[in-house]
Amino acid sequence: MKATPVYSFKQAFGVGRIEGVIWQVPEPVPPSEHRYKYRLVYVVAGERVVGYDNERGKGDHKHLRNAEIAYRFVDVPTLLADFMKDIRELQP
């Protein structure tokens, strides 16, 4: 079984843009323990303000401006809500 697209978006938001893609994968992406692979980003003037991803070897984490912070993945709706909450808190 290959990765199956679950959700994808790209749109203007505030003074920047948001983009994201979420796939369901047949096996977790180590060290994550869930079966989702994701990449979400909020960009303003070419700079990442907020980013969420679960890169192989790093696991679930988020980027808030220049800081990288571990993230506890619960489910896709919570992931999207947390992403939007961070954007609202950090948007210029």
Side-chain angles (χ1 to χ4, degrees):
M1 177 175 142
K2 293 186 177 185
T4 304
V6 173
Y7 193 61
S8 178
F9 58 92
K10 182 176 183 176
Q11 65 189 58
F13 187 87
V15 296
R17 74 177 192 283
I18 56 174
E19 297 180 28
V21 64
I22 303 171
W23 301 271
Q24 186 169 24
V25 293
E27 298 293 327
V29 176
S32 298
E33 296 180 358
H34 54 82
R35 295 186 340 137
Y36 292 95
K37 172 74 177 143
Y38 57 89
R39 181 182 69 243
L40 312 170
V41 67
Y42 174 55
V43 176
V44 175
E47 298 289 325
R48 177 182 62 200
V49 176
V50 176
Y52 279 59
D53 65 280
N54 62 332
E55 180 180 336
R56 183 175 294 278
K58 282 188 165 185
D60 301 287
H61 62 282
K62 62 184 180 176
H63 304 265
L64 302 178
R65 299 205 187 274
N66 296 321
E68 184 175 307
I69 303 162
Y71 176 72
R72 185 170 108 19
F73 179 91
V74 175
D75 56 29
V76 171
T78 302
L79 171 69
L80 294 169
D82 290 344
F83 174 63
M84 294 308 297
K85 178 180 176 281
D86 282 340
I87 289 172
R88 287 185 183 95
E89 290 176 0
L90 293 175
Q91 69 181 331

